[in-house]
Amino acid sequence: QLQLVESGRDSVRRGGSLRLSCSVSGAKLDYLSIGWFRQAPGKEREVVSCASTLYDDKFYADPVKGRFTISRDNARSTVWMQMNNLRPENPGVYYCAAQDGMVASFLACTKTSDFTSWGPGIQVTVSS
C-alpha cells in the first residue's frame, strides 16, 4: 500500500527558508509523479509544485516560482521541497501526494482528484 509522510522543520521567520521532505513507501517512486499542495484555513487545497516521473519535469505555481524548488531522489524514495524567502501568504498545511505516471503540464498538477495517495500533511507557520 502506497504511503506518503511529510516531515521537516515547520516554522520560520518571514524571509527565511524551510525544506520539507516527503517519504514514499509501498511503491517505487520512479513510476510516480509527486505534487506538493497547500491548504490555508478556510481555503481550498491548491497545488504548489509538481515533479513528474519519466522526464522529471517540474512545475510551479506562479507565486512560488523562483523561491521554491522541488526535487526527488528515486533511490531514496524521497521528494523535497525547498522553500526560500517565505512570506506571510505561504503558511498552511502542506501535503505531498502521488499519482501513477507522468504529469505533462502544470494544469495536470492542479487536478487534485488525479492524485490518489496523500500524506497526512504538515503545518507550516511563518512569523513576522
Side-chain angles (χ1 to χ4, degrees):
Q1 182 180 357
L2 180 59
Q3 290 189 319
L4 297 88
V5 179
E6 305 89 349
S7 63
R9 241 182 83 212
D10 56 8
S11 63
V12 70
R13 285 186 176 273
R14 179 177 183 166
S17 299
L18 290 175
R19 188 173 83 153
L20 302 181
S21 300
C22 175
S23 297
V24 179
S25 61
K28 285 180 69 66
L29 182 57
D30 307 56
Y31 307 122
L32 301 173
S33 291
I34 301 294
W36 281 99
F37 297 80
R38 181 183 75 97
Q39 188 164 22
K43 301 284 184 65
E44 290 189 1
R45 197 171 297 185
E46 58 185 9
V47 65
V48 177
S49 179
C50 283
S52 180
T53 186
L54 190 59
Y55 299 115
D56 199 24
D57 288 332
K58 297 177 175 66
F59 306 99
Y60 299 92
D62 284 344
V64 307
K65 284 180 179 176
R67 298 188 297 120
F68 289 15
T69 303
I70 190 170
S71 60
R72 60 193 291 161
D73 185 332
N74 291 342
R76 296 172 64 181
S77 296
T78 304
V79 179
W80 295 273
M81 187 163 69
Q82 177 68 39
M83 305 187 291
N84 297 330
N85 189 19
L86 283 158
R87 300 171 178 171
E89 62 266 29
N90 294 135
V93 180
Y94 281 75
Y95 300 89
C96 64
Q99 64 170 279
D100 287 328
M102 60 183 285
V103 291
S105 66
F106 178 73
L107 181 61
C109 299
T110 65
K111 297 178 181 177
T112 55
S113 59
D114 288 347
F115 288 85
T116 53
S117 298
W118 292 78
I122 182 170
Q123 177 74 50
V124 169
T125 60
V126 179
S127 59
S128 56

